[in-house]
Amino acid sequence: MRRTPRAHGHRTVAVVTTALALTAALHQPASAEPATLPEVRAELDRLYHDAEVATEKYNAVDGEVTRQKKRVSTLKAQVMSTEKKLTRLTELAGVAARTQYRGGGVPAEVQFVLADNFERALDNASLARQAHRGTNRVMTALAKTQEELRTRSDDADDELKRLRKNRRSMGSHRTTIQARIDEAQKMESRLAEKQRRELAALERETADEAQAKWVESGVLDTAGTEGSSAGSKAVAFATRELGKPYVWGAEGPDSYDCSGLTSQAWLAAGVAIPRTSQDQWRLLHRVPVADMRPGDLIIYNADATHVSLYIGDGRMIHAPRPGRSVTVAPAGSLEILGVVRPDA
């Protein structure tokens, strides 16, 4: 998650050699080479943010593929159903035509039943002709519907192919970013033990500073302390998932990404919500941050690429990033965009 640490000139650490090696795996050509731990931390945060952007885009396209597959399946089923109806009507129309031809226009069984009532027989013949014309109209309409459904089914197939191609492209981009992050984590692990401790301390300090500033603003003075029945169930679900690893695109039960965790937590509470953090921000009911309550979702970053589940007392549960696990963290430690309430 991207954070902007304060200048720590007094904490410049002798990690230039390691940082330069880390840069080979991390930085874009136009980026300045990180020479201090704060700069290394900022570079790692930038990469993790890029990874979340790629993940959310992939998840969105993947969701579209799933929905489109269902649409294609439904259309194909409708085509088959229409074809069966059309075939059956064609068979019935043929039987009726042959029967009328043999009986002079009126089915033999009808003539037998109505032989003692000539007027009724004539009425029945008129009804038979009307039924025949009606059958033809239905067959014409069904044939037209069949053609329209086939066209829609073909178009849906084309759209599904386009979405799958887009998903492959997104997956390739995501794989590239994952490779860079893997290398970054390897480089980070090669830091001296003291440097790793200092890097972790720097991350905690940055988070604590952001949380303290957030709390001091008074935002928690009016925040709710109890969630709705569904919200409490969502919090209980997320609490049970603590310690499970972050995995891109995962929705449980063994691992999660950020929006995979929040969507599954609310699904466990009986409320289906959008899969990605960006759609959660776009489609769910927004509430003021000062009015949030346990169970609400906190959306982070200007591009809504991270989400957590607020659990009260200024804390949240989230799946942070690759290499980390589902954890409890200060809710204001990241850049808050806003809050949404799934069961508003």
Side-chain angles (χ1 to χ4, degrees):
M1 186 60 54
R2 180 179 294 186
R3 293 182 289 273
T4 306
R6 298 183 309 172
H8 288 264
H10 63 287
R11 294 187 58 182
T12 300
V13 187
V15 294
V16 176
T17 301
T18 304
L20 290 177
L22 184 61
T23 299
L26 299 180
H27 85 290
Q28 296 177 345
S31 302
E33 294 181 349
T36 67
L37 281 179
E39 291 173 353
V40 170
R41 179 73 266 157
E43 184 72 357
L44 285 169
D45 285 344
R46 182 187 65 78
L47 271 177
Y48 292 134
H49 175 264
D50 290 348
E52 281 196 314
V53 171
T55 298
E56 290 300 282
K57 286 182 178 179
Y58 180 88
N59 288 341
V61 173
D62 190 55
E64 276 296 310
V65 168
T66 299
R67 288 189 289 274
Q68 188 67 13
K69 284 171 64 177
K70 290 181 180 178
R71 285 195 287 268
V72 169
S73 178
T74 298
L75 283 168
K76 289 185 180 298
Q78 290 174 348
V79 169
M80 290 181 63
S81 176
T82 303
E83 287 176 345
K84 288 181 180 178
K85 290 179 181 178
L86 189 57
T87 299
R88 180 58 178 159
L89 272 176
T90 301
E91 292 173 351
L92 290 175
V95 170
R98 289 191 296 273
T99 301
Q100 291 174 25
Y101 175 77
R102 290 194 303 267
V106 181
E109 60 272 23
V110 174
Q111 290 186 4
F112 176 77
V113 171
L114 301 178
D116 60 342
N117 191 327
F118 181 70
E119 289 183 358
R120 287 181 61 185
L122 289 177
D123 290 342
N124 188 72
S126 176
L127 290 174
R129 286 193 296 272
Q130 291 178 25
H132 182 68
R133 288 195 294 268
T135 300
N136 286 338
R137 285 195 298 271
V138 171
M139 289 174 61
T140 300
L142 278 173
K144 182 179 179 181
T145 299
Q146 181 188 41
E147 186 60 31
E148 290 175 351
L149 285 171
R150 281 177 176 169
T151 300
R152 288 170 57 191
S153 181
D154 290 343
D155 290 344
D157 266 329
D158 291 341
E159 176 67 6
L160 180 58
K161 290 175 183 177
R162 185 191 67 79
L163 287 170
R164 281 174 169 162
K165 181 179 180 181
N166 198 8
R167 182 174 63 176
R168 286 194 297 271
S169 176
M170 292 291 181
S172 176
H173 177 58
R174 195 179 68 162
T175 299
T176 299
I177 291 179
Q178 179 65 69
R180 294 170 65 198
I181 287 179
D182 288 345
E183 185 62 26
Q185 290 174 332
K186 290 177 183 177
M187 292 292 183
E188 187 178 5
S189 69
R190 293 176 192 144
L191 292 171
E193 179 61 29
K194 179 182 178 182
Q195 293 167 339
R196 287 200 296 271
R197 288 199 303 268
E198 289 178 340
L199 193 61
L202 175 60
E203 185 174 359
R204 288 193 300 272
E205 179 181 331
T206 302
D208 289 345
E209 288 174 356
Q211 176 74 358
K213 183 177 180 180
W214 185 62
V215 172
E216 288 169 3
S217 71
V219 69
L220 295 180
D221 294 346
T222 56
T225 57
E226 293 185 6
S228 64
S229 174
S232 298
K233 291 177 182 178
V235 170
F237 176 91
T239 301
R240 291 194 296 270
E241 306 310 290
L242 289 172
K244 293 186 177 181
Y246 179 108
V247 173
W248 266 342
E251 300 178 79
D254 300 321
S255 57
Y256 297 91
D257 62 17
C258 66
S259 56
L261 176 65
T262 54
S263 60
Q264 289 302 304
W266 271 97
L267 186 60
V271 181
I273 66 174
R275 169 64 176 85
T276 68
S277 60
Q278 292 173 331
D279 279 347
Q280 289 169 5
W281 173 243
R282 183 171 62 89
L283 299 173
L284 298 179
H285 179 73
R286 299 180 186 181
V287 297
V289 176
D291 294 338
M292 66 183 175
R293 67 189 186 193
D296 287 347
L297 305 183
I298 305 178
I299 309 296
Y300 296 97
N301 297 326
D303 51 5
T305 49
H306 190 69
V307 60
S308 74
L309 189 75
Y310 183 63
I311 61 174
D313 196 27
R315 299 177 302 153
M316 50 94 159
I317 291 177
H318 71 149
R321 61 172 174 81
R324 298 292 177 84
S325 300
V326 176
T327 187
V328 176
S333 58
L334 308 174
E335 179 190 351
I336 294 177
L337 176 61
V339 174
V340 294
R341 181 166 295 163
D343 61 340

